[in-house]
Amino acid sequence: MKKAMRIVAVHAGDIEDPQDEDWKIVFDGIINENDNLLKQWYFGYSLEPDEDLQINQKWPFILMNSPQGFEFGPGCGEEHFESTNIFDKEIRINTLFTRGKGPEESTYRVINIDPLT
């Protein structure tokens, strides 16, 4: 059975960046009976702290299945597209997935999955 869910993930920490739970990824997705995301496009946002402004900035994105990644659009700066392996993972609490590649790669942990009604 397919379920529409809101998925929240936080930055889980990397070699160069310590864990920071203020960095979040939030999106709505459809999960199939195997706990995988259906391979289609989803809308969401990244929530990132801006310490200079002392606010959290929201960066909207489209989570794309082909190529697999977050498309942030022209308003986000130089990098518009960041790859991910989330479509290859089961979507469960504590699932880890990556955002970006190479030295810019970050690891995120799923912390919340709520049904959409």
Side-chain angles (χ1 to χ4, degrees):
M1 181 202 285
K2 298 174 188 168
K3 303 170 277 191
M5 308 297 270
R6 173 150 299 147
I7 296 129
V8 179
V10 296
H11 184 255
D14 299 296
I15 293 172
E16 304 221 359
D17 292 314
Q19 180 176 343
D20 188 342
E21 292 190 4
D22 288 333
W23 289 64
K24 294 183 178 161
I25 291 176
V26 180
F27 68 96
D28 296 342
I30 299 173
I31 299 174
N32 66 21
E33 57 279 351
N34 298 320
D35 292 334
N36 297 106
L37 280 173
L38 289 185
K39 293 193 175 191
Q40 59 185 37
W41 289 15
Y42 300 106
F43 294 99
Y45 62 90
S46 174
L47 188 64
E48 301 175 4
D50 185 327
E51 294 168 10
D52 294 336
L53 300 175
Q54 297 181 345
I55 60 170
N56 285 331
Q57 296 186 32
K58 280 187 180 179
W59 298 98
F61 62 74
I62 297 171
L63 176 56
M64 301 176 2
N65 67 307
S66 182
Q68 290 188 32
F70 300 95
E71 175 59 54
F72 286 94
C76 75
E78 281 183 33
E79 288 294 321
H80 301 245
F81 181 82
E82 295 180 4
S83 64
T84 185
N85 63 356
I86 195 166
F87 287 100
D88 302 326
K89 306 286 185 167
E90 292 179 342
I91 304 301
R92 297 181 178 164
I93 300 297
N94 291 322
T95 293
L96 297 173
F97 65 91
T98 59
R99 168 186 173 183
K101 277 190 174 180
E104 299 299 316
E105 183 177 275
S106 297
T107 303
Y108 282 77
R109 176 185 319 280
V110 175
I111 61 164
N112 201 25
I113 304 170
D114 286 324
L116 294 173
T117 56

